[in-house]
């Protein structure tokens, strides 16, 4: 179980934030999950059932940290992706 928790909290090449909810039920949108099963929440968290100790969730979105001042990050909740676009015209990427 400790190995599963440590694997959950490590997302390769990302600075994702992870959260652990002790005693949280392994269910999402009315569906029950078993130990080790995962689901993607509507707010783009990848959650894993760690029954009976709780639920661990990690952000799936990589956040850009270094881009020009004339650009800004746009978050798409449908795809769980962040793109960096021009402030003046958000169509072309930076």
């Amino acid at each position: 179980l400790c190995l599963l928790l440590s694997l959950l909290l490590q997302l390769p090449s990302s600075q994702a934030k992870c959260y652990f909810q002790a005693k949280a039920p392994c269910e999402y949108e009315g569906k029950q999950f078993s130990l080790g099963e995962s689901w993607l929440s509507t707010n783009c968290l990848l959650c894993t059932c760690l029954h009976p100790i709780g639920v661990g969730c990690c952000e799936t979105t990589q956040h850009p940290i270094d881009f020009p001042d004339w650009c800004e990050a746009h978050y798409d909740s449908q795809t769980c992706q962040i793109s960096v676009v021009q402030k003046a015209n958000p169509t072309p990427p930076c």
Side-chain angles (χ1 to χ4, degrees):
L1 190 56
C2 289
L3 176 61
L4 181 61
L5 181 59
S6 67
L7 291 174
L8 169 72
L9 297 177
Q10 296 176 17
L11 290 181
S13 69
S14 92
Q15 295 186 10
K17 294 179 185 169
C18 294
Y19 311 92
F20 177 73
Q21 301 168 336
K23 305 290 183 187
C26 291
E27 64 179 88
Y28 181 70
E29 293 186 338
K31 183 176 180 197
Q32 297 289 326
F33 294 88
S34 300
L35 176 63
E37 288 186 310
S38 297
W39 62 94
L40 186 63
S41 69
T42 54
N43 59 345
C44 300
L45 291 175
L46 179 62
C47 298
T48 300
C49 176
L50 303 170
H51 179 75
I53 63 169
V55 173
C57 297
C58 291
E59 293 178 344
T60 59
T61 307
Q62 293 187 6
H63 300 272
I65 57 171
D66 188 23
F67 50 87
D69 289 338
W70 47 273
C71 297
E72 62 187 0
H74 276 210
Y75 175 70
D76 183 345
S77 62
Q78 297 294 317
T79 64
C80 299
Q81 298 290 317
I82 295 178
S83 57
V84 179
V85 297
Q86 297 177 17
K87 288 180 182 177
N89 181 2
T91 304
C94 287

